[in-house]
Amino acid sequence: MDRLTLRRPDDWHLHLRDGALLAAVAPVSARHFARAIVMPNLVPPVVSGAEAAAYRERIRAALPGRRFTPLMTLYLTETTDPDDVIAAHASGLVTAVKLYPAGATTNSASGVRDLDRVRGVLEAMAEAGVPLCVHGEVTDPSVDIFDREAVFIDRVLDPLRRAVPGLRVVMEHITTAEAAGYVTTAGANLAATITVHHLVINRTHMLAGGIRPHYYCLPVAKRETHRRALVAAATGGDARFFLGTDSAPHTDAAKESACGCAGCFTAPVALSILAHVFEAADALDRLEGFASLHGPAFYGLPRNDETLTLAKSPAPLPHPGSLATGAGPVTVFDPGFPLHWHVAEDT
Ligand code: NCD
Ligand code: ZN
């Protein structure tokens, strides 16, 4: 097969940033994706309905004439007002709420330290059907960074789901066999997003033969057995797994530093890599489910009517290298193997 037409995909976890970066990266995602769940970890974070409305306007202003729907999220803090969340969701402004354990990742200092302090918000969300997107890593400094996701499931996620059983939860950017297994054994109110980069790199790719800062993201890539478990989950057809690229641009100056930022900028090549992965797993027929169908089903949103056609060319595509932005160049994620699939047309 060298052509594949699918319903236009959505990105269920995306960082669009603000200012000069927003202006440069928003059109890249809008080129291929119909909608995206937009992460709220700006500085300062998007915590109120009013801030989400203002951010949505800035995103729309960066995309004149483009048919792209930003699905806004609110950054959960210990002082989040449940009434504001419920009103912002009821009006259609906000699609989900994001839980960052304080200090877990880029711009997460205002995140949650004590889950008991947000119990009221979570109960109101469960009642109103507002999904919670979770960055699933503990921040306990005594827990090894490679174990932080698996420990989070036992210490935080499973107790939280038992405490608020009606809450719909998306475990974001899962990186371990433990997370994939936990989602598989849970009920229909738990789903997980999987990134493109975690389907193609493991920690050895990042660290052997020189440190590759553009492979550094959070949660950090794990060993090869976990990557394989993620490929099995993504390509297996289970509707609880869907695409969230977690495309997270940082300038090269911020990445290539003595203390480099976490985040891989994958948006320009996400669908090319995804087609490669699904073809290698003999699962191209399941790509549409993962990229275009499972996400809207979980979020209770309509499927996109438009389509997108991927084509495979005999010669490898030139890698885009980096994206010029007003804040400086941003290196595009390079999977380290040639890409033959590309977006040929969309309607
Ligand atoms: C994200 C970012 O840069 O905002 N970084 C990352 O490595 N994924 C934050 C996040 O999603 O954890
Ligand atoms: Zn992210």
Side-chain angles (χ1 to χ4, degrees):
M1 197 195 305
D2 61 6
R3 277 181 95 75
L4 180 67
T5 297
L6 52 152
R7 278 179 195 262
R8 199 168 167 80
D10 302 306
D11 187 346
W12 299 96
H13 181 129
L14 176 65
H15 298 270
L16 284 177
R17 310 303 194 204
D18 216 340
L21 274 182
L22 169 64
V25 304
V28 174
S29 286
R31 202 172 299 146
H32 297 160
F33 296 95
R35 299 171 285 197
I37 288 273
V38 179
M39 288 294 122
N41 64 332
L42 305 181
V43 191
V46 178
V47 297
S48 67
E51 286 161 358
Y55 185 31
R56 187 169 67 174
E57 283 319 304
R58 298 200 295 281
I59 294 169
R60 286 179 173 158
L63 294 168
R66 297 298 270 266
R67 44 176 187 174
F68 175 81
T69 307
L71 303 171
M72 307 310 291
T73 60
L74 293 180
Y75 187 116
L76 183 62
T77 74
E78 294 184 2
T79 55
T80 292
D81 172 8
D83 293 339
D84 183 51
V85 171
I86 301 310
H89 181 260
S91 73
L93 168 64
V94 155
T95 302
V97 171
K98 177 71 188 247
L99 166 65
Y100 288 102
T105 186
T106 312
N107 306 336
S108 62
S110 335
V112 175
R113 283 183 172 76
D114 179 359
L115 273 167
D116 285 340
R117 305 193 64 166
V118 295
R119 178 74 72 88
V121 186
L122 299 181
E123 282 169 355
M125 287 167 55
E127 178 103 342
V130 186
L132 180 72
C133 299
V134 177
H135 183 106
E137 288 189 290
V138 291
T139 52
D140 179 345
S142 70
V143 177
D144 187 276
I145 191 166
F146 291 101
D147 298 333
R148 287 181 180 186
E149 182 174 286
V151 171
F152 181 88
I153 297 169
D154 293 339
R155 277 197 202 165
V156 182
L157 184 59
D158 197 58
L160 182 151
R161 294 185 56 245
R162 284 175 203 277
V164 193
L167 188 63
R168 298 174 65 68
V169 176
V170 184
M171 201 180 174
E172 302 282 75
H173 42 49
I174 60 168
T175 61
T176 57
E178 286 88 343
Y182 181 70
V183 171
T184 309
T185 54
N189 66 354
L190 179 67
T193 55
I194 303 179
T195 76
V196 167
H197 49 284
H198 288 113
L199 293 174
V200 291
I201 61 162
N202 61 39
R203 64 193 192 180
T204 303
H205 293 119
M206 178 177 59
L207 295 171
I211 186 162
R212 289 174 178 73
H214 299 290
Y215 283 179
Y216 174 60
C217 65
L218 288 170
V220 70
K222 309 297 190 299
R223 61 169 67 238
E224 175 65 5
T225 47
H226 295 288
R227 188 194 68 81
R228 288 183 190 208
L230 298 175
V231 171
T235 62
D238 186 325
R240 287 169 295 185
F241 297 104
F242 44 85
L243 175 65
T245 66
D246 192 20
S247 181
H250 293 278
T251 61
D252 287 354
K255 294 282 297 173
E256 299 170 8
S257 138
C259 185
C261 292
C264 299
F265 179 49
T266 53
V269 288
L271 293 177
S272 296
I273 296 176
L274 211 54
H276 177 101
V277 168
F278 275 70
E279 182 180 44
D282 202 13
L284 273 176
D285 57 329
R286 291 179 174 162
L287 179 59
E288 183 180 39
F290 182 71
S292 314
L293 306 180
H294 300 166
F298 183 84
Y299 276 96
L301 294 169
R303 294 172 168 185
N304 297 315
D305 287 330
E306 303 87 354
T307 63
L308 176 144
T309 298
L310 291 159
K312 187 180 183 184
S313 44
L317 307 169
H319 187 269
S322 68
L323 179 76
T325 82
V330 175
T331 292
V332 177
F333 179 83
D334 183 345
F337 50 76
L339 292 170
H340 293 263
W341 288 93
H342 61 278
V343 175
E345 46 184 86
D346 49 68
T347 61

